[in-house]
Amino acid sequence: MSDVFMNTYHRLPVIFARGEGSRLFDINGKEYLDFGSGIAVNCLGHNYPPLVRAVSEQAAKFNHVCNYYQSDVAAAFAEKLVEACSKAGMKNVFLANSGAEANEGACKIARKYSLKKYGPGRHTIVTLRGSFHGRTITTLSATGQEKFHRDFGPFTDGFDYIPGGDIDALDKALDKAAVAGLLIEAIQGESGIIPQTGEFIAAAAKLCAERDILLMFDEIQCGLGRTGTFLALEHYGVSADVVTLAKGLAAGVPAGAVLAGGKAADVFESGDHGSTFGGNPLAAAAGLVVLKTVNDPAFLREIARKGEKIIAAIRGWKHSGVKEVRGRGLMIGVDIESEAWPVLEKALSKGLLLLSAGPKTLRLLPPYTISGGEIDQGLAILRGVLDA
Ligand SMILES: *Cc1c(COP(=O)(O)O)cnc(C)c1O
């Protein structure tokens, strides 16, 4: 293990050298089944042949043009992405590189929308307790978890937090005179795969519409097919003013996006926002493969079916220390009686890669392309580790 990295991550003792489908191989050639997809990034597994082809072909054409110009590949990607999100009301897109950067864009849109219409002072963005929105100074402010609000202050002002599911608190917090936007994950990822209720999302949509507050969905982890619909908000039958995406957007090539619809679509004007690498041709080429593959009803149904199979299997285990299984599609949280991290370590030694989401919750985010046999194999390893 190299020790020149800054000590920012709690790492497991393994160094990977290559991947193939749902499997990774370490530098000694040991094989691991991947139930984490690099935290929802490698949604098509590793070395997905159409993606390898698309990125290789693009690399042989050009890897970058600055945002003085459009490129054919970024334009094609943007068109397809907006089309895929049109059910949620999206009309246009800003291409970025990461989730935090996408959420920064969303916050800027909400603030400018409000400023232009109502003048200064109405700039608060409300988010949920337990949310995770990124690691920049502003997106740490947006993240409704105290542990992220230490050491790096002063943080960006103008964020307020409410408990998910609490419609009274939502009603109180969405003060028409002070609030520009509401930013929520339909299903919270980092804090334990916590879905919002239909009533809460419906109330959020209604209150935001009535009070002219932008309704913004952070779909960075739960979007892009992860829960069996292209966007997770589709489960709730609402549309959005702003949607942010990243993680699986280019299946392993860095990419992020802010999409906007309706009154939010024309907020950004020339010079308002920018990103050197945003719309990068390699990312756009990879993103086109993701959209072509994932935004397909039959493919999305398979994601839902695979998830149901995993959830049913784990719920059927006896004596394994499992307290609760939650989730939708291939976004699954498993509350266990013991600490999660030692389970991750043991599973690693048995050749299974897992994630955690909170101290006693395992998080399963397998690639969409995982086979039935691989699911069975991974579940057998997990059950063995939990039973031991
Ligand atoms: C990972 C994540 C982010 C941050 O994305 P980065 O690419 O790491 O900046 C933001 N929101 C959610 C819901 C995430 O899961």
Side-chain angles (χ1 to χ4, degrees):
M1 304 281 280
S2 171
D3 60 8
V4 301
F5 289 111
M6 289 190 192
N7 188 25
T8 53
Y9 300 107
H10 189 184
R11 306 229 208 222
L12 288 155
V14 63
I15 303 177
F16 287 116
R18 69 185 182 89
E20 191 72 56
S22 305
R23 290 165 201 280
L24 277 167
F25 298 84
D26 71 15
I27 49 173
N28 304 313
K30 182 178 164 185
E31 185 178 318
Y32 301 79
L33 200 49
D34 188 358
F35 265 33
S37 305
I39 316 191
V41 169
N42 302 110
C43 59
L44 301 176
H46 303 278
N47 292 345
Y48 185 63
L51 190 124
V52 173
R53 218 175 301 127
V55 172
S56 309
E57 282 172 14
Q58 186 58 48
K61 292 180 188 163
F62 57 74
N63 302 327
H64 178 78
V65 290
C66 71
N67 282 308
Y68 284 30
Y69 324 105
Q70 287 194 5
S71 70
D72 56 352
V73 65
F77 173 52
E79 295 274 346
K80 281 253 179 292
L81 183 56
V82 170
E83 187 192 313
C85 297
S86 60
K87 267 191 264 178
M90 296 302 100
K91 253 179 62 186
N92 57 20
V93 65
F94 175 87
L95 295 176
N97 308 293
S98 69
E101 198 192 4
N103 283 336
E104 290 268 348
C107 293
K108 284 176 75 174
I109 290 174
R111 287 196 165 170
K112 186 175 173 196
Y113 173 76
S114 190
L115 181 80
K116 289 287 156 186
K117 198 154 167 191
Y118 299 97
R122 191 184 183 272
H123 58 241
T124 300
I125 292 168
V126 176
T127 69
L128 301 186
R129 298 245 166 247
S131 58
F132 182 81
H133 298 299
R135 297 286 200 155
T136 62
I137 296 281
T138 293
T139 57
L140 283 174
S141 282
T143 294
Q145 300 188 58
E146 282 313 315
K147 67 176 179 194
F148 290 108
H149 299 163
R150 293 188 314 237
D151 299 348
F152 305 106
F155 288 94
T156 307
D157 267 348
F159 287 87
D160 190 12
Y161 319 100
I162 57 163
D166 188 337
I167 295 174
D168 287 340
L170 178 72
D171 190 358
K172 280 201 199 82
L174 294 184
D175 173 357
K176 189 177 177 356
V179 176
L182 173 69
L183 177 64
I184 47 183
E185 295 158 84
I187 303 178
Q188 288 178 344
E190 300 299 320
S191 56
I193 315 297
I194 313 291
Q196 295 307 313
T197 64
E199 294 75 34
F200 183 76
I201 298 283
K206 180 165 170 284
L207 291 168
C208 283
E210 282 170 9
R211 298 175 190 181
D212 200 16
I213 289 166
L214 295 194
L215 176 60
M216 310 193 285
F217 282 91
D218 177 340
E219 293 258 354
I220 289 163
Q221 191 161 154
C222 61
L224 293 161
R226 183 52 56 191
T227 68
T229 50
F230 189 73
L231 296 176
L233 66 83
E234 292 171 39
H235 294 296
Y236 295 87
V238 295
S239 51
D241 296 306
V242 174
V243 169
T244 57
L245 295 170
K247 290 205 163 88
L249 184 56
V253 184
V258 196
L259 293 110
K263 59 198 180 191
D266 301 316
V267 172
F268 275 162
E269 296 165 293
S270 181
D272 274 348
H273 200 42
S275 174
T276 295
F277 289 118
N280 172 265
L282 296 180
L288 267 171
V289 175
V290 171
L291 294 174
K292 275 187 200 145
T293 311
V294 176
N295 190 27
D296 169 73
F299 190 84
L300 290 166
R301 271 198 302 278
E302 270 299 284
I303 293 172
R305 194 191 58 77
K306 288 173 185 176
E308 282 158 19
K309 172 179 160 159
I310 294 173
I311 290 174
I314 299 176
R315 285 196 179 137
W317 294 350
K318 305 270 178 267
H319 315 300
S320 54
V322 172
K323 290 169 69 180
E324 189 183 292
V325 190
R326 284 181 302 277
R328 210 150 190 174
L330 290 170
M331 183 173 188
I332 298 166
V334 183
D335 288 346
I336 55 175
E337 276 156 17
S338 59
E339 294 292 316
W341 196 260
V343 173
L344 266 60
E345 286 174 333
K346 275 184 223 145
L348 179 83
S349 73
K350 306 266 184 233
L352 176 68
L353 305 178
L354 299 171
L355 304 168
S356 62
K360 293 185 170 185
T361 303
L362 303 175
R363 173 170 41 161
L364 313 184
L365 305 169
Y368 306 158
T369 46
I370 195 165
S371 71
E374 288 165 336
I375 289 175
D376 293 341
Q377 190 192 348
L379 288 175
I381 298 173
L382 175 58
R383 187 175 189 176
V385 168
L386 288 173
D387 278 343

